[in-house]
Amino acid sequence: QVQLVESGGGLVQAGESLRLSCVASGSIFSRNTMGWYRQAPGKQRELVAELTSRGTTNYADSAKDRFTISRDNAKNTVNLQMNDLKPENSAVYYCNLRWDIINSWGQGTQVTVSS
């Protein structure tokens, strides 16, 4: 069983930055993909960015210029640095870890960007 705990969300003004962090614990296979998804009210959950344990990244087009994902394999953590935030980035951000048939989610952290 895998547990994911996110932190770092909050209320910021447009143009400011936030750094989200997620710590995974439990039975974790070394080769995995960790990432961040978000879900705004009335919308489907969507990928923001993900990073494999081998270092391959995948960003949503909307995140490529201002967001950076990083991870520490030894600590089973993944971070999302979000710069120049915009109101449309407001959502609940979820940490995700997956490998094989395992697909685990955190509880989510709220990010609100005011204009």
Side-chain angles (χ1 to χ4, degrees):
Q1 196 169 6
V2 177
Q3 296 81 41
L4 302 173
V5 178
E6 303 108 331
S7 61
L11 171 64
V12 297
Q13 293 188 336
E16 295 184 338
S17 299
L18 276 176
R19 182 178 176 86
L20 305 182
S21 295
C22 173
V23 179
S25 60
S27 300
I28 301 170
F29 185 61
S30 59
R31 291 184 183 179
N32 59 66
T33 298
M34 296 187 76
W36 291 93
Y37 288 69
R38 66 187 176 195
Q39 187 167 19
K43 295 188 177 181
Q44 289 188 331
R45 191 173 298 187
E46 62 179 3
L47 172 71
V48 178
E50 61 183 7
L51 176 56
T52 72
S53 53
R54 293 185 172 185
T56 302
T57 58
N58 180 29
Y59 286 93
D61 288 342
S62 60
K64 285 180 179 178
D65 292 335
R66 297 177 291 112
F67 294 5
T68 302
I69 191 169
S70 61
R71 63 183 289 168
D72 184 331
N73 291 335
K75 297 180 179 179
N76 290 320
T77 60
V78 63
N79 303 302
L80 184 69
Q81 178 67 40
M82 304 186 291
N83 297 326
D84 190 22
L85 284 162
K86 303 180 185 302
E88 54 263 38
N89 299 138
S90 297
V92 178
Y93 284 70
Y94 295 92
C95 180
N96 175 263
L97 186 149
R98 58 184 174 84
W99 80 88
D100 195 26
I101 63 171
I102 302 300
N103 190 25
S104 294
W105 296 93
Q107 292 298 306
T109 185
Q110 177 70 47
V111 172
T112 303
V113 185
S114 64
S115 58

